[in-house]
Amino acid sequence: MKRTLLTLLAALALLPALADEGMWLPSLISERIDDMRAKGFRLTAEDIYSINKASMKDAVVLFNGGCTGELISPEGLLLTNHHCGYDAIQKHSTVEHDYLTNGFWAMSRAEELPNEKLWVRFLVRMEEVTDRIAAGETAAQIVEKAKAEGTGYKASVEQMYYGNQQFLFVYEQFDDVRLVAAPPSSIGKFGGDTDNWMWPRHTGDFSMFRVYASKDNRPAAYSPQNVPYRPKKHFSISTKGVKEGDFTMIYGFPGNTQEYILSDAVAYIAERSDPAKIAIRTGRLDIITKAQESDPALRIHYAAKHASIANAWKKWQGEALGLTRLNTVASKQEYEQAFQAWAQDKPEYRDVLKELKAEYARIFDAYFALELMSETIRTGELNRIYNRPSFGDEIYPQVKALNRDLFRVLYREYYDNCPQEYMVPLFAAEVERLGSPEAYAELMFEATHKEDESTEAPELEALRADIRTTVTRIFEELGKCSTRNLNSERLNELYTTYIKGLREWDTERAFYPDANLTLRVAYGKVGGYQYADGVYHKPYTTVEGILEKDNPEIYDYNIPQRLRDIIAAKDYGRWGVEIDGRTTVPVCFLADNHTTGGNSGSPVVNADGELVGINFDRTWLSTMSDIAFDPAFCRNIALDIRYVLFVIDRIGDASYLFEEMDFAE
Ligand code: ARG
Ligand code: ASP
């Protein structure tokens, strides 16, 4: 009885047809369009992706290789997240012009700020090239041919379903992208790392750029002669808003998911890798946070560092919790057993699971050793020489004290956790010689923090060299593979077969290829969720919530006085709308679109393809959706476009920007 129930639950958990799960290839969206329309979408597959006419894909860009952006005017105006534009905003910030703290609003085209090495890419087209490759053409030849098609063209061949299918992606890249607007961090990063990955959320996570092109509208390096790019397509904006149950679609560049990995890999992630990495980062964050609280100069010095350590740290916690709560290891095991039963009499598939499991067992320790190194003895803080501080002498003593603590903690973590067989030999020998990892940490700390002017630290060079040798040795064991995820050359080959088998066997399942930073469509609906017993999370927040969190004492919650005054007086003007019987301005909303890292900045559109929001995050327990999507819990977080407009108008006084936008009726 219990077993049947478990099987049933497992089957339910893995039945995507019920859920709004999936990240679909735009060129194949006609296969999903009936489902989309049944869920409320009113446009066609051609409106989403077409090579014959302007379509939505022409208004979506890969923003600098890690985020998504969308065009919102015929004059190249682009919207993305504040955290995606963060680097650019930071680079323009000085003590006199602190755009990070105070925000930046270009009041004319002439005031827009150029950014070195900031680029955006439009998808020109994509096409399956599996047959061409089978016929003997190499991926490199296909790419070269495609690149020759136009100015600024980039191309790549990407694997789908572990190489069962190959797709060519042809892009047009623009390198003159200028900063137009950014709200103060107290709006754009409101709530900081505390609110990050959380709901209820009130972060105004947006920034604006403009794409520039040559006079004939082609990609061109920065030049004052360049003119605003005229995109084939831009999104019109809907201020009608969305409510629970409304259809939403997200068009963007999700980076990395692993939906088809075996239970063995899930167990490795949830039980071994995530917990170890979380513990190590907790130690690192404790040290850094304490320093930051002790001195405002240190708070600034470590701001970006803290944000990047905390982002994955918090994500992994949610992921491990979610996988445990959903019992993903057990449900995957059941699924594998069912597959095996089917595969038993099929020579092509009979042994694939067994071999996959054997390969996992072979590489777990080696891969763990790699992960551990990057989290400990290969971190930036431990691999620098600090005798010439580039950050100002005043805080050097504190940075030094902090580094000493970091060395001790991280050397200890590496020593305690690294499988013997894969420990960097010099490290092991030095710990042996000196008696403890702490003693070795002290030695390395002294070597990298000498008061004299020399920049040498032969001890560090020696350790680095030995680390490199160890990494090479591990890579030899793993073979040719990307190690972005737990991976090896052999695993990849076996997964090619396994996925092929899965698709033959599980005909009910709606398969989609794992995210790999290629353009995808996700669709679903606005919706809250049952967060805990007795706690339902409504799918939207409003500006009053900002005032509730407002706290001038806490940096991340100290909103601009102007915003404080507006909300206190409910002086919303034309931005006020009725929600739950009161006049307010909406801030963020939840939907069950399947998204991941890279989808930040993606356009969120309604049933008519009009822009209603900008995607920027997921809730904590959703982060497992990189491995298993749970429709009951997985929610993406979007910024309501109406809050964006309100901030542009009332905080930035930049409503002149509205003139070039299209507002849907
Ligand atoms: N969690 C979001 C994403 O993964 C936003 C991260 C940036 N914000 C922050 N407070 N660290 O990237
Ligand atoms: N915040 C992520 C990003 O930067 C999005 C996510 O992981 O949901 O792409």
Side-chain angles (χ1 to χ4, degrees), residues 83 189 192-193 196-197 307 311 600 616-617:
H83 79 261
K189 204 171 177 280
D193 289 327
N196 190 22
W197 299 115
N311 194 39
S600 275
F616 72 100
D617 208 4

Side-chain angles (χ1 to χ4, degrees), residues 40-54:
F41 191 52
R42 284 192 280 266
L43 304 182
T44 66
E46 280 272 297
D47 293 323
I48 295 173
Y49 176 92
S50 171
I51 47 169
N52 303 311
K53 60 164 199 166

Side-chain angles (χ1 to χ4, degrees), residues 481-642:
C481 66
S482 115
T483 47
R484 210 161 46 146
N485 301 312
L486 172 60
N487 220 326
S488 78
E489 189 172 357
R490 181 75 186 128
L491 269 182
N492 277 341
E493 289 164 10
L494 291 166
Y495 267 112
T496 313
T497 307
Y498 176 57
I499 298 290
K500 185 162 170 273
L502 276 190
R503 293 175 77 188
E504 277 173 39
W505 164 62
D506 194 352
T507 48
E508 296 291 291
R509 186 169 181 176
F511 284 90
Y512 54 93
D514 273 319
N516 55 3
L517 211 63
T518 58
L519 189 61
R520 303 297 177 92
V521 172
Y523 59 92
K525 57 195 169 308
V526 175
Y529 67 110
Q530 195 71 34
Y531 172 74
D533 186 34
V535 187
Y536 181 75
H537 277 180
K538 281 192 181 182
Y540 51 84
T541 57
T542 58
V543 284
E544 283 75 22
I546 297 176
L547 214 53
E548 285 166 14
K549 288 178 179 174
D550 175 32
N551 185 343
E553 306 280 293
I554 307 175
Y555 183 79
D556 288 328
Y557 292 97
N558 181 14
I559 59 173
Q561 189 56 41
R562 195 161 176 185
L563 183 59
R564 199 171 277 138
D565 293 342
I566 292 173
I567 304 174
K570 292 193 177 294
D571 169 26
Y572 304 135
R574 60 167 157 158
W575 305 109
V577 295
E578 288 295 304
I579 293 179
D580 294 342
R582 61 195 166 89
T583 304
T584 186
V585 179
V587 180
C588 293
F589 64 89
L590 292 175
D592 65 357
N593 300 62
H594 193 180
T595 56
T596 187
N599 269 124
S600 275
S602 299
V604 185
V605 303
N606 63 17
D608 295 309
E610 299 153 355
L611 192 70
V612 290
I614 315 170
N615 187 66
F616 72 100
D617 208 4
R618 282 169 288 166
T619 59
W620 205 37
L621 292 177
S622 319
T623 55
M624 60 178 288
S625 68
D626 291 353
I627 292 162
F629 185 91
D630 177 4
F633 268 87
C634 291
R635 297 290 178 272
N636 66 295
I637 305 178
L639 174 60
D640 195 303
I641 199 68
R642 294 170 293 179

